[in-house]
Amino acid sequence: MAVHRQQRATLGASSSRRPNSQPRMFIRRNPLEVVTHDDYFIQKRDASGRLGLSSLQKMTAAIRMFTYGVTADLMDEYVRIGESTARLSMKKFVKAIVSIFGGEYLRSPTSNDIARLLEVGQRRGFPRMLGSIDCMHWKWKNCPSAWKGMYSGHVNEPTIILEAVASYDLWIWHAFFGLPGSHNDINVLDRSSVFAALAEGRGPPCNYTINGHEYTMGYYLADGIYPSWATLVKTILAPHGKKKKHFATCQEFARKDVERAFGVLQSRFAIVRGPARYFQPEVLKDIMYACIILHNMIVEDERHLYLGADQFNYEANDDTPSEPISRDNIPEFMEFIAQHHRIRDRVTHSQLQADLMEHLWNMHGRA
């Protein structure tokens, strides 16, 4: 009996750790919005007049499945909820999260957001850097047998790919999820919308000068598999000389932002660290986006704990997501093609890389 008490005490202590306790704050703060959005979470009476499961029970079951990655049949002991009800609560909950909070916590950066990101990039030695881009694979345990060949990649197991752009404070600004694991980062980039606004002429102005050369587009830090585009800055694979070695060190250090974001996302939500158990890709997509939204909520809530928190005071601004563009504002087809070629310009990529190398060396490499 004493052993069981000790185990329960240990479990209670581990469940109150900060990464897993943060999503529970969502239940206490925002339950009404979820209940208002979907009447499934409203507590109802059955035919005999007894009250059924409360909204907090259903949301608690979904949150515990998020944070601990446990199966639905384990919810009966803690929340007193059946397996099928817990599974349905998860599906309803993630849909509500994406629908209610996606516009705020899964948005593209606004003009004020970009201004702050560029300022942080300037301080870190990469003027006009918008963040880091990379892909993460989520293993799909219950992938249908007919799809396993399409979804199996280099790990020989079915996976689904998430492409994300993250900033220094681990906020995920862009998320594109759903492509089969047989794709690589280049295939995903060709299908994602990360540069869609820029190609359509809707990107915010980003004019700057480095080492005497003028540029008109921001850029992301990427690893070696990505193409040599004007909007991507890669490292040097085999650097020779102090300048190139210093640039490679700085680039690889700053590019870890997105990998840190992936690591924190998986540590906070074990459901995306372990294998996916649902059969429908639409459900997995809602789960991934809901985890990213909750992750960004936590980043916003804990931003005051970061070093240099004044750089990331997003909540102090009334920025709203930009409204969809009307057809009258879409540039002509030839202008779109020209902008598309400017994004993929290899010459500009090489020039930008060389200018950043000189800038970083003049900044603190000489010491």
Side-chain angles (χ1 to χ4, degrees), residues 218-238:
Y219 57 89
Y220 301 98
L221 301 184
D223 57 17
I225 191 176
Y226 279 87
S228 300
W229 291 2
T231 51
L232 299 173
V233 172
K234 304 190 296 181
T235 187
I236 300 176
L237 296 180

Side-chain angles (χ1 to χ4, degrees), residues 289-313:
Y289 286 155
C291 289
I292 293 174
I293 290 171
L294 294 176
H295 165 82
N296 285 343
M297 285 184 178
I298 299 172
V299 170
E300 182 184 64
D301 187 65
E302 296 182 345
R303 188 173 288 122
H304 65 282
L305 303 176
Y306 296 161
L307 181 64
D310 57 324
Q311 303 174 8
F312 308 108
N313 192 20

Side-chain angles (χ1 to χ4, degrees), residues 90-337:
M90 162 71 82
K91 295 179 182 180
K92 296 280 189 179
F93 182 75
V94 294
K95 279 187 173 295
I97 293 297
V98 174
S99 179
I100 298 171
F101 302 102
E104 180 180 359
Y105 291 97
L106 201 60
R107 70 179 192 271
S108 299
T110 61
S111 299
N112 290 340
D113 295 331
I114 289 179
R116 285 186 289 268
L117 293 174
L118 298 182
E119 181 183 356
V120 174
Q122 179 74 31
R123 296 180 184 181
R124 301 177 69 189
F126 289 91
R128 296 321 191 212
M129 180 188 70
L130 296 173
S132 304
I133 185 171
D134 203 357
C135 291
M136 180 188 81
H137 288 250
W138 187 17
K139 181 181 176 182
W140 191 5
K141 178 182 178 181
N142 289 332
C143 175
S145 299
W147 294 355
K148 283 188 177 180
M150 178 176 62
Y151 280 85
S152 298
H154 62 283
V155 295
N156 297 323
E157 292 179 333
T159 59
I160 308 179
I161 301 176
L162 167 69
E163 180 192 70
V165 172
S167 55
Y168 177 68
D169 59 345
L170 304 185
W171 185 288
I172 297 177
W173 292 104
H174 163 77
F176 176 59
F177 177 79
L179 286 186
S182 57
H183 291 72
N184 58 24
D185 295 8
I186 302 177
N187 305 138
V188 177
L189 181 64
D190 290 335
R191 290 162 175 80
S192 71
S193 60
V194 61
F195 297 126
L198 184 62
E200 294 174 0
R202 296 187 288 121
C206 191
N207 301 318
Y208 60 101
T209 302
I210 302 179
N211 199 29
H213 295 95
E214 296 183 357
Y215 299 93
T216 59
M217 295 181 293
Y219 57 89
Y220 301 98
L221 301 184
D223 57 17
I225 191 176
Y226 279 87
S228 300
W229 291 2
T231 51
L232 299 173
V233 172
K234 304 190 296 181
T235 187
I236 300 176
L237 296 180
H240 295 284
K242 293 184 178 180
K243 287 186 179 181
K244 292 184 178 181
K245 289 182 179 179
H246 178 68
F247 170 79
T249 301
C250 294
Q251 195 274 350
E252 293 168 7
F253 175 79
R255 189 185 60 81
K256 295 298 182 182
D257 294 344
V258 65
E259 297 186 13
R260 288 170 52 229
F262 287 150
V264 172
L265 181 70
Q266 291 178 333
S267 65
R268 283 173 172 161
F269 305 102
I271 192 172
V272 297
R273 183 174 69 244
R277 299 185 179 92
Y278 288 88
F279 292 93
Q280 299 85 4
E282 296 79 10
V283 176
L284 298 179
K285 186 175 182 179
D286 288 336
I287 291 174
M288 179 61 73
Y289 286 155
C291 289
I292 293 174
I293 290 171
L294 294 176
H295 165 82
N296 285 343
M297 285 184 178
I298 299 172
V299 170
E300 182 184 64
D301 187 65
E302 296 182 345
R303 188 173 288 122
H304 65 282
L305 303 176
Y306 296 161
L307 181 64
D310 57 324
Q311 303 174 8
F312 308 108
N313 192 20
Y314 297 102
E315 63 271 17
N317 296 271
D318 56 353
D319 291 346
T320 55
S322 57
E323 297 182 356
I325 185 174
S326 64
R327 288 185 176 273
D328 297 337
N329 296 329
I330 298 179
E332 296 295 333
F333 181 71
M334 295 306 296
E335 184 180 349
F336 171 80
I337 294 297

